[in-house]
Amino acid sequence: MKKVAVAMSGGVDSSVTALLLKQQGYDVVGITGKMTNSEGAEQVCKNAQAVADKIGIPLYILDLSDKFKEKVIDYFDKSYLESKTPNPCAMCNKRIKWGEIFDYAINTLDCDYFATGHYANITKIGDYYTMAPAKDPRKDQLYFLFSLTQEQFSKTLFPLYEYEKSQIRQIAEENDLPSKSAKDSQDICFIQKPKTLRDYLFETIGKKKGDFIDIETGKKLGEHSGCYQYTIGQRKGLDIGGTPNPLYVIKIDSNTNTVYVGEKKNAYKSTLKLENAHKTFPFEENSFDVMTKIRYNMPFVKAHVELSDNTAVMTFEEPVYSVTPGQAAVWYDLEHGYLLGGGWIVE
Protein backbone atom coordinates (compact mmCIF):
# COMPACT_ATOMS: atom_id res chain seq x y z
CA MET A 1 0.00 0.00 0.00
CA LYS A 2 1.38 3.39 -1.03
CA LYS A 3 1.66 6.00 1.72
CA VAL A 4 0.62 9.60 1.07
CA ALA A 5 0.83 12.70 3.25
CA VAL A 6 -1.87 15.32 2.75
CA ALA A 7 -1.20 18.97 3.60
CA MET A 8 -4.27 19.76 5.69
CA SER A 9 -5.50 23.24 6.54
CA GLY A 10 -8.83 22.24 8.03
CA GLY A 11 -10.55 23.60 4.92
CA VAL A 12 -12.90 21.73 2.62
CA ASP A 13 -10.45 21.15 -0.27
CA SER A 14 -7.69 19.49 1.77
CA SER A 15 -10.27 17.56 3.82
CA VAL A 16 -11.88 16.02 0.74
CA THR A 17 -8.40 15.35 -0.70
CA ALA A 18 -7.57 13.20 2.34
CA LEU A 19 -10.95 11.45 2.22
CA LEU A 20 -10.72 10.63 -1.50
CA LEU A 21 -7.19 9.23 -1.20
CA LYS A 22 -8.21 7.03 1.72
CA GLN A 23 -11.20 5.77 -0.28
CA GLN A 24 -8.80 4.99 -3.13
CA GLY A 25 -6.81 2.67 -0.87
CA TYR A 26 -3.83 4.80 0.11
CA ASP A 27 -2.28 4.78 3.58
CA VAL A 28 -3.07 8.42 4.38
CA VAL A 29 -1.55 10.71 6.99
CA GLY A 30 -2.15 14.43 7.44
CA ILE A 31 0.37 17.22 8.00
CA THR A 32 -0.62 20.67 9.22
CA GLY A 33 1.84 23.52 9.33
CA LYS A 34 1.35 26.02 12.12
CA MET A 35 2.43 29.13 10.24
CA THR A 36 2.18 31.84 12.90
CA ASN A 37 1.87 32.15 16.67
CA SER A 38 -1.70 33.39 16.61
CA GLU A 39 -5.22 32.37 17.54
CA GLY A 40 -5.97 31.92 13.85
CA ALA A 41 -3.13 29.44 13.42
CA GLU A 42 -4.20 27.54 16.53
CA GLN A 43 -7.70 27.29 15.09
CA VAL A 44 -6.35 25.92 11.80
CA CYS A 45 -4.62 23.13 13.74
CA LYS A 46 -7.79 22.35 15.71
CA ASN A 47 -9.88 22.28 12.53
CA ALA A 48 -7.39 19.97 10.80
CA GLN A 49 -7.35 17.65 13.82
CA ALA A 50 -11.15 17.45 13.81
CA VAL A 51 -11.11 16.46 10.12
CA ALA A 52 -8.34 13.89 10.64
CA ASP A 53 -10.26 12.35 13.54
CA LYS A 54 -13.43 12.16 11.44
CA ILE A 55 -11.65 10.50 8.51
CA GLY A 56 -9.62 8.25 10.82
CA ILE A 57 -6.06 9.23 9.91
CA PRO A 58 -3.10 10.42 12.01
CA LEU A 59 -2.20 14.11 11.90
CA TYR A 60 1.26 15.60 12.35
CA ILE A 61 1.40 19.26 13.34
CA LEU A 62 4.61 21.08 12.44
CA ASP A 63 5.50 24.38 14.07
CA LEU A 64 6.73 26.27 11.02
CA SER A 65 6.23 29.75 12.43
CA ASP A 66 9.94 30.64 12.34
CA LYS A 67 10.38 29.27 8.80
CA PHE A 68 7.19 30.94 7.59
CA LYS A 69 8.34 34.26 9.04
CA GLU A 70 11.74 33.92 7.36
CA LYS A 71 10.64 32.56 3.99
CA VAL A 72 7.25 34.19 3.39
CA ILE A 73 6.51 37.12 5.72
CA ASP A 74 10.00 38.64 5.49
CA TYR A 75 9.88 38.24 1.71
CA PHE A 76 6.45 39.92 1.71
CA ASP A 77 7.65 42.91 3.75
CA LYS A 78 10.88 43.27 1.76
CA SER A 79 8.97 43.26 -1.54
CA TYR A 80 6.88 46.26 -0.53
CA LEU A 81 9.98 48.10 0.65
CA GLU A 82 11.46 47.54 -2.83
CA SER A 83 8.40 48.85 -4.73
CA LYS A 84 7.26 45.34 -5.62
CA THR A 85 3.86 43.71 -5.17
CA PRO A 86 4.55 40.28 -3.64
CA ASN A 87 2.81 36.99 -4.36
CA PRO A 88 2.81 35.23 -0.98
CA CYS A 89 0.78 32.19 -2.12
CA ALA A 90 3.24 31.26 -4.88
CA MET A 91 6.16 31.81 -2.51
CA CYS A 92 4.52 29.74 0.23
CA ASN A 93 4.00 26.90 -2.24
CA LYS A 94 7.66 27.01 -3.23
CA ARG A 95 9.27 27.43 0.18
CA ILE A 96 6.80 25.98 2.68
CA LYS A 97 4.37 23.48 1.12
CA TRP A 98 6.84 22.00 -1.38
CA GLY A 99 9.74 22.98 0.88
CA GLU A 100 9.35 22.26 4.58
CA ILE A 101 6.16 20.13 4.47
CA PHE A 102 7.05 18.15 1.32
CA ASP A 103 10.50 17.35 2.74
CA TYR A 104 9.00 16.20 6.05
CA ALA A 105 6.49 13.99 4.25
CA ILE A 106 8.99 12.31 1.93
CA ASN A 107 12.16 12.23 4.04
CA THR A 108 10.90 11.99 7.64
CA LEU A 109 7.59 10.15 7.32
CA ASP A 110 8.90 8.08 4.39
CA CYS A 111 5.80 8.74 2.30
CA ASP A 112 5.62 7.75 -1.35
CA TYR A 113 3.55 10.81 -2.25
CA PHE A 114 2.57 14.27 -1.07
CA ALA A 115 -0.92 15.62 -1.81
CA THR A 116 -2.73 18.93 -1.51
CA GLY A 117 -6.15 20.35 -2.32
CA HIS A 118 -4.93 22.37 -5.29
CA TYR A 119 -6.96 22.21 -8.50
CA ALA A 120 -4.42 21.10 -11.10
CA ASN A 121 -3.75 17.97 -13.14
CA ILE A 122 -0.28 16.44 -13.16
CA THR A 123 0.30 14.61 -16.42
CA LYS A 124 3.27 12.87 -18.01
CA ILE A 125 4.49 13.58 -21.55
CA GLY A 126 7.22 11.17 -22.58
CA ASP A 127 9.69 10.99 -19.69
CA TYR A 128 8.68 14.28 -18.08
CA TYR A 129 5.89 15.63 -15.93
CA THR A 130 3.88 18.79 -16.40
CA MET A 131 0.50 20.14 -15.31
CA ALA A 132 -2.67 20.54 -17.30
CA PRO A 133 -5.56 22.82 -16.32
CA ALA A 134 -8.14 21.51 -13.87
CA LYS A 135 -11.72 20.77 -14.91
CA ASP A 136 -13.05 23.87 -13.11
CA PRO A 137 -11.43 26.90 -14.80
CA ARG A 138 -12.53 29.17 -11.96
CA LYS A 139 -10.42 27.17 -9.50
CA ASP A 140 -7.49 26.22 -11.72
CA GLN A 141 -4.28 26.90 -9.79
CA LEU A 142 -1.41 26.23 -12.20
CA TYR A 143 -0.34 29.87 -11.86
CA PHE A 144 0.62 29.39 -8.20
CA LEU A 145 2.50 26.13 -8.87
CA PHE A 146 4.99 27.12 -11.56
CA SER A 147 7.94 26.69 -9.18
CA LEU A 148 7.53 22.90 -8.81
CA THR A 149 10.38 20.68 -10.01
CA GLN A 150 10.27 17.40 -11.91
CA GLU A 151 11.09 15.48 -8.70
CA GLN A 152 8.24 17.19 -6.87
CA PHE A 153 5.84 16.48 -9.75
CA SER A 154 6.75 12.79 -9.61
CA LYS A 155 5.79 12.58 -5.93
CA THR A 156 2.74 14.87 -5.87
CA LEU A 157 -0.95 13.98 -6.17
CA PHE A 158 -3.79 16.41 -6.94
CA PRO A 159 -6.98 14.33 -6.66
CA LEU A 160 -9.31 17.34 -6.99
CA TYR A 161 -8.37 18.19 -10.58
CA GLU A 162 -11.34 16.33 -12.09
CA TYR A 163 -13.91 17.94 -9.79
CA GLU A 164 -15.69 21.26 -9.67
CA LYS A 165 -15.84 23.14 -6.38
CA SER A 166 -19.55 22.48 -6.00
CA GLN A 167 -18.87 18.73 -6.19
CA ILE A 168 -16.20 19.00 -3.49
CA ARG A 169 -18.62 20.72 -1.15
CA GLN A 170 -21.21 18.03 -1.90
CA ILE A 171 -18.73 15.27 -1.01
CA ALA A 172 -17.94 17.05 2.26
CA GLU A 173 -21.66 17.31 3.05
CA GLU A 174 -22.36 13.67 2.20
CA ASN A 175 -19.54 12.51 4.47
CA ASP A 176 -20.33 15.03 7.22
CA LEU A 177 -16.81 16.40 7.31
CA PRO A 178 -16.27 19.13 9.93
CA SER A 179 -15.06 21.43 7.13
CA LYS A 180 -18.25 21.09 5.05
CA SER A 181 -19.27 24.70 5.71
CA ALA A 182 -15.78 26.21 5.76
CA LYS A 183 -15.25 29.33 3.68
CA ASP A 184 -12.49 29.49 1.08
CA SER A 185 -9.19 30.63 2.54
CA GLN A 186 -8.27 34.30 2.30
CA ASP A 187 -5.41 35.54 0.14
CA ILE A 188 -3.00 36.64 2.88
CA CYS A 189 -3.37 34.16 5.72
CA PHE A 190 -1.10 36.04 8.16
CA ILE A 191 -3.20 39.23 8.02
CA GLN A 192 -6.30 38.40 9.99
CA LYS A 193 -9.52 40.38 9.59
CA PRO A 194 -10.54 43.01 10.52
CA LYS A 195 -6.93 44.14 9.92
CA THR A 196 -6.42 45.21 6.30
CA LEU A 197 -3.31 45.11 4.14
CA ARG A 198 -3.04 48.88 4.56
CA ASP A 199 -3.21 48.51 8.35
CA TYR A 200 -0.54 45.82 8.26
CA LEU A 201 1.84 47.88 6.12
CA PHE A 202 1.45 51.00 8.27
CA GLU A 203 2.07 48.88 11.37
CA THR A 204 5.07 47.06 9.88
CA ILE A 205 6.74 49.78 7.81
CA GLY A 206 5.33 53.01 9.21
CA LYS A 207 4.05 56.14 7.49
CA LYS A 208 6.43 58.16 5.32
CA LYS A 209 5.32 61.23 3.41
CA GLY A 210 6.01 61.20 -0.33
CA ASP A 211 4.82 62.72 -3.59
CA PHE A 212 2.45 61.81 -6.40
CA ILE A 213 4.13 62.89 -9.65
CA ASP A 214 2.58 63.11 -13.13
CA ILE A 215 4.58 60.61 -15.23
CA GLU A 216 4.29 62.78 -18.36
CA THR A 217 4.84 66.31 -17.02
CA GLY A 218 6.83 65.71 -13.84
CA LYS A 219 4.39 67.93 -11.96
CA LYS A 220 3.60 67.22 -8.31
CA LEU A 221 -0.09 66.37 -7.97
CA GLY A 222 -0.33 65.54 -4.29
CA GLU A 223 1.15 63.67 -1.34
CA HIS A 224 0.81 60.19 0.13
CA SER A 225 1.90 58.49 3.37
CA GLY A 226 4.00 55.67 1.89
CA CYS A 227 4.63 54.45 -1.66
CA TYR A 228 4.34 50.82 -0.52
CA GLN A 229 0.56 51.26 -0.19
CA TYR A 230 0.18 51.29 -3.96
CA THR A 231 0.50 48.84 -6.81
CA ILE A 232 0.91 49.27 -10.56
CA GLY A 233 -2.40 49.93 -12.31
CA GLN A 234 -4.20 50.98 -9.12
CA ARG A 235 -6.91 53.62 -9.56
CA LYS A 236 -8.93 53.66 -6.34
CA GLY A 237 -7.61 55.24 -3.17
CA LEU A 238 -5.26 57.76 -4.76
CA ASP A 239 -7.19 60.79 -3.42
CA ILE A 240 -5.88 63.12 -6.11
CA GLY A 241 -8.40 65.70 -7.24
CA GLY A 242 -8.53 68.39 -9.87
CA THR A 243 -7.54 66.29 -12.89
CA PRO A 244 -9.69 65.99 -16.03
CA ASN A 245 -9.17 62.22 -16.45
CA PRO A 246 -8.91 59.31 -13.99
CA LEU A 247 -5.36 58.63 -12.78
CA TYR A 248 -3.63 55.28 -12.36
CA VAL A 249 -0.38 54.22 -10.68
CA ILE A 250 2.20 53.82 -13.46
CA LYS A 251 5.50 53.49 -11.60
CA ILE A 252 6.73 53.32 -7.99
CA ASP A 253 10.20 54.40 -6.81
CA SER A 254 10.94 53.20 -3.28
CA ASN A 255 14.30 54.99 -3.20
CA THR A 256 12.60 58.39 -3.36
CA ASN A 257 9.21 57.27 -1.98
CA THR A 258 7.58 58.56 -5.17
CA VAL A 259 4.42 57.30 -6.86
CA TYR A 260 4.17 58.22 -10.55
CA VAL A 261 0.64 58.46 -11.91
CA GLY A 262 -0.89 58.98 -15.32
CA GLU A 263 -3.75 58.09 -17.62
CA LYS A 264 -4.64 54.46 -18.22
CA LYS A 265 -2.85 54.44 -21.58
CA ASN A 266 0.45 54.89 -19.71
CA ALA A 267 -0.09 51.63 -17.81
CA TYR A 268 0.30 49.40 -20.89
CA LYS A 269 3.60 47.72 -21.79
CA SER A 270 4.76 45.57 -24.70
CA THR A 271 7.68 43.88 -22.93
CA LEU A 272 8.80 42.82 -19.48
CA LYS A 273 11.85 41.28 -17.86
CA LEU A 274 11.94 38.26 -15.54
CA GLU A 275 14.38 36.98 -12.94
CA ASN A 276 14.62 33.44 -11.55
CA ALA A 277 12.97 32.26 -14.77
CA HIS A 278 12.93 28.55 -15.49
CA LYS A 279 11.26 25.82 -17.50
CA THR A 280 8.97 23.56 -15.53
CA PHE A 281 8.78 21.22 -18.52
CA PRO A 282 12.27 20.65 -20.07
CA PHE A 283 12.29 21.42 -23.78
CA GLU A 284 15.28 22.46 -25.89
CA GLU A 285 14.26 25.86 -27.25
CA ASN A 286 15.21 29.06 -25.42
CA SER A 287 13.22 31.22 -27.85
CA PHE A 288 9.54 30.24 -27.93
CA ASP A 289 5.92 31.44 -28.01
CA VAL A 290 3.56 30.92 -25.09
CA MET A 291 0.21 31.82 -23.66
CA THR A 292 0.88 33.66 -20.44
CA LYS A 293 -0.62 35.23 -17.35
CA ILE A 294 1.09 38.02 -15.44
CA ARG A 295 -1.59 37.88 -12.72
CA TYR A 296 -3.67 34.95 -11.53
CA ASN A 297 -7.09 36.37 -12.40
CA MET A 298 -6.35 37.71 -15.90
CA PRO A 299 -7.17 36.14 -19.28
CA PHE A 300 -4.41 34.39 -21.21
CA VAL A 301 -2.40 36.54 -23.62
CA LYS A 302 0.12 35.48 -26.25
CA ALA A 303 3.80 36.36 -25.87
CA HIS A 304 7.27 35.50 -27.14
CA VAL A 305 9.95 34.46 -24.63
CA GLU A 306 13.72 34.86 -24.94
CA LEU A 307 15.28 32.84 -22.11
CA SER A 308 18.92 33.19 -21.08
CA ASP A 309 20.13 31.27 -18.02
CA ASN A 310 17.68 32.34 -15.31
CA THR A 311 16.51 35.60 -16.87
CA ALA A 312 13.99 36.17 -19.63
CA VAL A 313 12.50 38.91 -21.78
CA MET A 314 8.86 38.59 -22.82
CA THR A 315 7.32 40.47 -25.74
CA PHE A 316 3.53 40.52 -25.92
CA GLU A 317 1.53 40.15 -29.10
CA GLU A 318 -0.49 43.15 -27.92
CA PRO A 319 0.40 45.56 -25.07
CA VAL A 320 -0.80 44.38 -21.65
CA TYR A 321 -2.12 46.38 -18.73
CA SER A 322 -0.44 46.70 -15.35
CA VAL A 323 2.90 44.86 -15.58
CA THR A 324 3.69 44.61 -11.87
CA PRO A 325 7.20 43.93 -10.48
CA GLY A 326 7.07 41.21 -7.83
CA GLN A 327 4.31 39.22 -9.49
CA ALA A 328 4.88 36.01 -11.45
CA ALA A 329 4.64 35.66 -15.22
CA VAL A 330 3.69 32.06 -15.96
CA TRP A 331 4.02 30.29 -19.31
CA TYR A 332 1.53 27.84 -20.82
CA ASP A 333 1.59 25.69 -23.94
CA LEU A 334 -0.22 27.33 -26.86
CA GLU A 335 -2.28 24.29 -27.82
CA HIS A 336 -3.17 22.44 -24.62
CA GLY A 337 -2.52 24.93 -21.82
CA TYR A 338 0.15 22.75 -20.20
CA LEU A 339 2.42 24.50 -17.71
CA LEU A 340 5.81 25.33 -19.25
CA GLY A 341 7.46 27.51 -16.61
CA GLY A 342 7.76 31.15 -15.67
CA GLY A 343 9.60 33.69 -13.57
CA TRP A 344 9.31 36.77 -11.38
CA ILE A 345 8.65 40.17 -12.97
CA VAL A 346 11.46 42.70 -12.47
CA GLU A 347 10.23 45.48 -14.78
Side-chain angles (χ1 to χ4, degrees), residues 17 54 82 207 287 329 339 346:
T17 294
K54 175 68 177 180
E82 294 176 347
K207 295 184 179 182
S287 177
L339 183 69
V346 180

Side-chain angles (χ1 to χ4, degrees), residues 196-210:
T196 65
L197 173 60
R198 184 186 178 94
D199 295 334
Y200 173 85
L201 293 173
F202 278 152
E203 182 181 293
T204 304
I205 300 173
K207 295 184 179 182
K208 184 181 178 183
K209 186 181 291 186

Side-chain angles (χ1 to χ4, degrees), residues 7 40 51 55 73 96 114-115 132 140 148-150 155-156 173 178 184 186 237 241 264-265 309 322 324 332 334:
V51 173
I55 296 174
I73 297 178
I96 301 297
F114 175 67
D140 185 76
L148 267 63
T149 66
Q150 285 293 308
K155 296 177 180 179
T156 297
E173 284 278 357
D184 287 348
Q186 62 188 78
K264 190 173 184 178
K265 65 181 181 180
D309 296 324
S322 184
T324 307
Y332 305 80
L334 290 171

Side-chain angles (χ1 to χ4, degrees), residues 92-132:
C92 181
N93 283 336
K94 176 181 174 65
R95 295 179 170 180
I96 301 297
K97 289 179 183 173
W98 277 269
E100 301 295 327
I101 299 177
F102 178 90
D103 290 347
Y104 185 82
I106 302 301
N107 299 322
T108 301
L109 298 182
D110 198 29
C111 292
D112 299 288
Y113 297 107
F114 175 67
T116 73
H118 285 88
Y119 289 75
N121 179 15
I122 294 178
T123 186
K124 199 170 185 181
I125 300 176
D127 295 328
Y128 298 104
Y129 294 89
T130 186
M131 280 190 288

Side-chain angles (χ1 to χ4, degrees), residues 176-197:
D176 195 28
L177 297 181
S179 58
K180 61 186 179 181
S181 300
K183 296 180 180 179
D184 287 348
S185 59
Q186 62 188 78
D187 289 340
I188 307 174
C189 64
F190 54 89
I191 302 178
Q192 296 293 316
K193 293 180 179 179
K195 183 182 290 187
T196 65
L197 173 60

Side-chain angles (χ1 to χ4, degrees), residues 8 32 99 118 140-141 165 192 204 208 247 267 302 311 314 316 323 335:
M8 298 184 68
T32 297
H118 285 88
D140 185 76
Q141 291 169 312
K165 184 67 181 229
Q192 296 293 316
T204 304
K208 184 181 178 183
L247 294 176
K302 189 174 181 180
T311 63
M314 292 175 56
F316 298 100
V323 172
E335 185 176 357

